[in-house]
């Protein structure tokens, strides 16, 4: 047990290095600048390469190249920069390249604000770029969890040959908390014999490509991708439940707001109201079935979704609840952080008190 | 036990460092801690503040809305945050540059001439340590010895001479609270 | 019986899809011959563009990556940083490189990225059906400049070999053509020099090849070759624009 105090962004970067990431391509944007700054110092120490690209567009395509060449590689950015990276992300999904993309979300739309927000949920969980594709999207709510998930993210990416996104926000990126370094769970991974790394005696050439000009070939490719996404849904779903047993109010929140919800749960308990929290740790795949089951518990009178957006995950909550219980929403946009008091008040209102 | 603290002042006053020292010491003492900086454009030369939570329970929200304790290193910080302090809370004011007194009667206010203390010690950089010493005395939440041990880790080799001067700054700050 | 000619080992057996009279086939052959002669087939990694040469990954026998439109130099950067001792090249057309990919190519050169770029300039978009390119000549009619390119409306042609010659990170920049045998031989020498200098770690190397597009120009292959010589070469003069072995830019 050796706790160390780390700032979120730096911890995420160090976790990547410990997971074997040796290449980083990125472009400055607040509030994630400590990630590239840390990598610029750290990667040369371990024989890796940090490169500041001329744009986010170039950065993600450098990631495409490095991933296609067989390396463990990542990039990080914040909301407007992630929008620019969507081109490369869909190409990587299409060409089945593993990489990790960190989004330290800030308020939008457009240039928005640099304060924490969660307005990129649709973009992260619905693909974001063109075409039918998915990313495993990991949404930590502590720095410890960010670090643990980051260390596993590269294995998930390599396991499925698919990009993985770590979806954080400015609060997780900027705050400091104690953490313990754990040895990550290493998966059995297939060799990267598909990489364009030079023939070096191999009989036939490897091609990294997302173009399938014949419609039938393109559909076959898509069908295979969809099978892969179904497998991810079965194997990579993660969520946490806190105090859901016998709860009258069921909160659903991910990332930073889920911490504030826990403060609201305490406030409600002081008033004799039992509240629980279902926290998706993966926002794709999403815990639809578990939320459906919990919302059908007789004790649950109301479901309250809390987000730092105008209500994006709310859609998934409604899909899961399926109208069986009233769903209310507490949200803020533009970098305003919900308070535990308004969350508790919304829960009481939903109960008619 | 949960202490929520706001530390606020100008950039360059060591506001962030006070907070980081608190959470580091809290961690050493086995508490759950969090430190959250304001990171707006004000970071670049304007006012800066950070939220610190020290608790025996896991930290929920790291955002401090109503602090148990406020450290106001400059006047705008006092004006901005005084009304947010919980009844029965503590306000520590850097009286070297804040000429105002706390208006609230339901809180304890202490006035620490941080800059004079630091200048008397011949090291202006210790002003924030005088405030930290005062905070530890007023709140009783952390042991000064924990911070002293941390100082020994930070300052070693040719900088080892800075340990004693920082400890002395903390003591003089504490004395402003205890009246010693 | 003596073999007097055979296809380079750096090309696969896949049949090329290019139009009759298009220069891509010749340029592929020159790049392939250089890779073979320098013994680089086994280690080379190529990046192809979006445009007519999008399928180049099927034609070159080395490992290949298909890049998003214009991003080949960024993709090549990622590849080269992972495999710094491997020869890495991009093969790009004028829309890909000089329009949507202007940022990526300039910054690859600025970084002195140790890659070789083969830039095929035929003054028009081929794959999408003959639209105006950044290198379209003034007055040249295309499907999106039906009255001819008007510089008061959309500027004049981009001179990539001259532009990149101003960049310190560029080690070798030359413009060549392939409309007759002497030009073709010179083109091959230029491509060979570029790869050799890349392998010596000299910096960014770039060969612009003036190319014919009979289909979209509405010409026969012979007319198209003649049009390169008569119309394009005066606007895009052939020759070395930068060679750090001989001091600064010419």
């Amino acid at each position: 047990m050796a706790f160390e105090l780390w700032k979120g962004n730096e911890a995420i970067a160090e976790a990547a290095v410990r997971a074997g990431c040796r290449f980083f391509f990125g472009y400055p944007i607040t509030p994630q600048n400590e990630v590239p700054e840390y990598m610029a110092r750290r990667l040369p120490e371990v024989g890796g390469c940090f490169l500041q690209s001329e744009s986010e567009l170039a950065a993600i395509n450098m990631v495409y190249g490095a991933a296609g060449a067989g390396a463990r590689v990542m990039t990080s950015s914040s909301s407007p920069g992630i929008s620019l990276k969507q081109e490369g992300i869909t190409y990587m999904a299409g060409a089945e390249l593993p990489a990790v993309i960190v989004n330290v979300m800030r308020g939008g739309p457009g240039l928005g604000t640099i304060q924490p927000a969660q307005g990129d949920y649709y973009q992260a969980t619905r693909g974001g770029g063109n075409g039918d594709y998915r990313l495993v999207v990991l949404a930590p709510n502590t720095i410890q969890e960010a670090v643990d998930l980051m260390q596993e993210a590269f294995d998930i990416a390599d396991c499925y040959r698919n990009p993985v996104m770590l979806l954080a926000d400015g609060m997780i990126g900027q705050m400091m908390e104690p953490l313990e370094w754990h040895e990550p769970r290493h998966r059995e991974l297939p060799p990267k014999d598909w990489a364009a790394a030079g023939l070096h005696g191999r009989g036939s050439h490897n091609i990294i490509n997302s173009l399938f000009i014949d419609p039938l070939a393109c559909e076959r490719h898509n069908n295979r991708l969809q099978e892969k996404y179904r497998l991810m849904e079965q194997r990579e779903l993660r969520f946490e439940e806190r105090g859901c047993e016998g709860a009258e109010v069921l909160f659903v929140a991910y990332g930073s707001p889920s911490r504030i919800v826990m403060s609201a749960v305490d406030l409600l308990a002081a008033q004799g109201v039992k509240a629980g929290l279902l926290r998706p740790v993966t926002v794709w795949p999403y815990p639809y079935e578990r939320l459906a089951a919990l919302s059908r518990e007789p004790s649950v009178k109301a479901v309250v979704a809390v987000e730092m957006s105008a209500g994006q995950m709310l859609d998934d909550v409604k899909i899961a609840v399926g109208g069986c219980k009233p769903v209310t929403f507490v949200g803020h946009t533009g970098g305003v952080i919900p308070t535990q008091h308004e969350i508790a008040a919304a829960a009481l209102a939903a109960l008619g008190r | 036990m949960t202490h929520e603290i706001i530390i606020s002042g100008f950039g360059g006053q060591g506001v962030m460092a006070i907070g980081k020292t608190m959470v580091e010491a809290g961690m050493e003492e086995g508490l759950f801690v969090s430190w959250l900086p304001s990171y707006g454009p004000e970071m670049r030369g304007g006012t800066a503040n950070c939220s610190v939570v020290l608790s025996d329970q896991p930290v929920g929200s790291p955002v401090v809305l109503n602090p148990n304790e406020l450290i106001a290193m400059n006047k705008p910080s006092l004006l901005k945050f005084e009304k947010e302090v919980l009844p029965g809370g503590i306000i520590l004011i850097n009286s070297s540059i804040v000429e105002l007194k706390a208006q609230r009667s339901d809180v304890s206010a202490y006035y620490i001439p941080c800059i004079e203390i630091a200048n008397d010690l011949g090291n202006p950089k210790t002003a924030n340590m005088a405030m930290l010493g005062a905070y530890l005395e007023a709140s009783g939440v952390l042991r000064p010895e924990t911070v002293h041990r941390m100082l020994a880790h930070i300052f070693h080799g040719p900088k080892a001479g800075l340990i004693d001067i920082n400890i002395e700054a903390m003591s003089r700050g504490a004395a402003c609270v205890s009246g010693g | 019986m003596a073999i007097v000619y055979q296809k380079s080992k750096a090309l696969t057996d896949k049949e090329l899809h290019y139009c009759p009279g298009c220069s891509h086939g010749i340029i592929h052959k020159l790049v392939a011959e250089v890779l073979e002669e320098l013994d680089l087939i086994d280690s080379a990694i190529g990046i192809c563009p979006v445009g007519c040469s999008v399928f180049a990954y099927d034609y070159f026998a080395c490992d290949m990556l298909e890049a998003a439109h214009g991003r080949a130099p960024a993709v090549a950067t990622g590849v080269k940083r992972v495999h710094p001792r491997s020869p890495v090249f991009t093969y790009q057309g004028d829309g890909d490189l000089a329009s949507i990919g202007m940022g990526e190519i300039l910054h690859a050169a600025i970084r002195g990225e140790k890659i070789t770029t083969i830039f095929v300039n035929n003054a028009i978009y081929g794959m999408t059906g003959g639209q105006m390119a950044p290198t379209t000549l003034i007055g040249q009619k295309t499907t999106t400049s039906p009255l001819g390119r008007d510089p008061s409306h959309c500027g004049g042609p981009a001179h990539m070999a001259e532009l990149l010659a101003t960049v310190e990170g560029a080690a070798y920049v030359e413009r060549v053509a392939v409309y007759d045998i002497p030009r073709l031989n010179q083109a091959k020498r230029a491509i060979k020099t570029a790869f050799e200098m890349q392998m010596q770690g000299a910096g960014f190397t770039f060969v612009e090849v003036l190319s014919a597009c009979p289909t979209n120009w509405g010409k026969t292959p012979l007319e198209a070759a003649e049009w390169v010589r008569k119309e394009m070469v005066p606007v895009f003069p052939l020759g070395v624009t930068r060679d750090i072995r001989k001091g600064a830019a010419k």
Side-chain angles (χ1 to χ4, degrees), chain C residues 147-165:
Chain C
L147 302 177
R149 182 174 189 164
D150 174 2
S152 72
H153 174 62
C154 50
H159 294 80
M160 294 308 298
E162 287 77 8
L163 179 61
L164 291 168

Side-chain angles (χ1 to χ4, degrees), chain C residues 108-166:
Chain C
I110 288 167
R111 284 192 301 272
E113 210 62 59
K114 295 170 188 65
I115 61 172
T116 296
T117 290
I118 309 299
F119 170 44
V120 178
N121 177 5
N122 60 10
I124 203 158
Y125 279 74
M127 182 65 116
T128 46
Q131 294 85 0
M132 189 183 73
T135 50
T136 292
L137 305 187
I138 289 170
Q140 186 184 340
K141 289 181 181 171
T142 71
T143 57
T144 52
S145 58
L147 302 177
R149 182 174 189 164
D150 174 2
S152 72
H153 174 62
C154 50
H159 294 80
M160 294 308 298
E162 287 77 8
L163 179 61
L164 291 168
T166 66

Side-chain angles (χ1 to χ4, degrees), chain B residues 121-167:
Chain B
L121 290 170
N123 188 335
K125 286 184 179 173
T126 60
N128 62 340
M129 293 305 285
M131 183 54 95
L132 179 62
Y135 172 80
L136 300 186
E137 180 72 19
S139 68
V141 66
L142 297 166
R143 290 188 292 276
E145 297 74 31
T146 310
V147 178
H148 298 169
R149 275 202 307 279
M150 286 165 48
L151 288 169
H153 279 289
I154 299 165
F155 300 117
H156 46 78
K159 288 187 171 176
L162 292 171
I163 299 171
D164 286 344
I165 198 167
N166 276 282
I167 291 175

